[in-house]
Amino acid sequence: MKKKYGKVLIVADGYPTSKNIFKGSFVKHQLEALKRNYPDWQFDIYFNPFFKLFSNPLEKDSAPWNIMKWGMQLICFFPFLFRSYDLVHAHRFFLPVINAAVYKFFHNVPLIATSHGIVQIRKRYNKKWTRKLFHYCDLIIAVNHEMRREFVEKFCLKENAVAVRSCGVNFSEFNSV
């Protein structure tokens, strides 16, 4: 018998907060759409706690700062390993996917990853661990067809392993301009 409902953990770098009202807005729109389309499902979101403390933490880039913010994200994620979910969805490569992959490793649940920034991934095309991370995901969501094509080609993914979904931006609105 197929389950009528489920529990989903969404792991992201950021989410809109009083200090960061725009960062993570794609995640927020995606979460709102999921809640509308699946009202019987439960959705929990985990994002880097630095977004609650600092303004624009992803723009701060130095070795000590990166160790501190990514270390905090990994440590604060630890309690989620003791919760039960039917699916884990990482919104953005890399650290959210690493967190989600750790969850999948311990719980053997499907892992979906959304990527809307191909520039960061292009820098890592030749990295062996990047390829392994892509292949560990059950489904990759790309936000456009160019990104999908690059993921399939560069990471030797099956066509049906990469889907295209907009993350809340209706591009047809720009057609009348």
Side-chain angles (χ1 to χ4, degrees):
M1 183 168 153
K2 191 173 180 182
K3 278 177 85 167
K4 185 175 156 181
Y5 64 91
K7 289 176 67 177
V8 178
L9 172 61
I10 298 172
V11 183
D13 270 351
Y15 196 78
T17 65
S18 59
K19 293 194 177 288
N20 295 282
I21 60 173
F22 297 115
K23 297 288 183 180
S25 57
F26 282 141
V27 178
K28 182 180 181 209
H29 293 304
Q30 192 176 51
L31 179 58
E32 289 168 351
L34 286 167
K35 286 180 176 180
R36 273 193 314 275
N37 292 326
Y38 301 96
D40 294 337
W41 286 47
Q42 177 186 332
F43 297 92
D44 289 342
I45 182 149
Y46 173 77
F47 62 94
N48 193 328
F50 266 46
F51 277 84
K52 297 175 187 173
L53 304 172
F54 300 102
S55 193
N56 299 321
L58 293 179
E59 293 174 8
K60 295 170 176 40
D61 196 24
S62 69
W65 180 259
N66 287 337
I67 290 169
M68 197 167 51
K69 69 183 172 185
W70 301 133
M72 181 180 239
Q73 179 161 338
L74 291 168
I75 291 167
C76 292
F77 183 75
F78 187 73
F80 285 86
L81 294 176
F82 299 97
R83 299 180 187 169
S84 179
Y85 294 97
D86 300 304
L87 174 78
V88 64
H89 181 175
H91 193 100
R92 193 173 178 269
F93 272 80
F94 283 92
L95 196 56
V97 175
I98 292 170
N99 284 345
V102 169
Y103 187 89
K104 176 184 175 171
F105 177 80
F106 286 109
H107 295 277
N108 195 27
V109 297
L111 167 56
I112 297 173
T114 297
S115 180
H116 53 83
I118 200 162
V119 173
Q120 301 90 346
I121 295 170
R122 279 185 178 148
K123 295 176 191 174
R124 297 174 173 102
Y125 274 163
N126 297 324
K127 305 284 185 195
K128 196 176 196 177
W129 65 270
T130 305
R131 182 178 302 269
K132 286 184 181 205
L133 203 53
F134 266 90
H135 282 271
Y136 197 63
C137 296
D138 296 287
L139 178 67
I140 306 290
I141 298 174
V143 296
N144 61 49
H145 292 281
E146 175 192 1
M147 186 181 289
R148 180 184 185 275
R149 186 178 59 253
E150 281 199 37
F151 289 169
V152 168
E153 290 173 7
K154 299 292 183 186
F155 298 109
C156 303
L157 297 169
K158 296 178 183 174
E159 293 278 334
N160 63 353
V162 185
V164 176
R165 299 284 184 276
S166 170
C167 288
V169 178
N170 182 357
F171 290 105
S172 67
E173 295 294 323
F174 296 99
N175 292 342
S176 62
V177 178

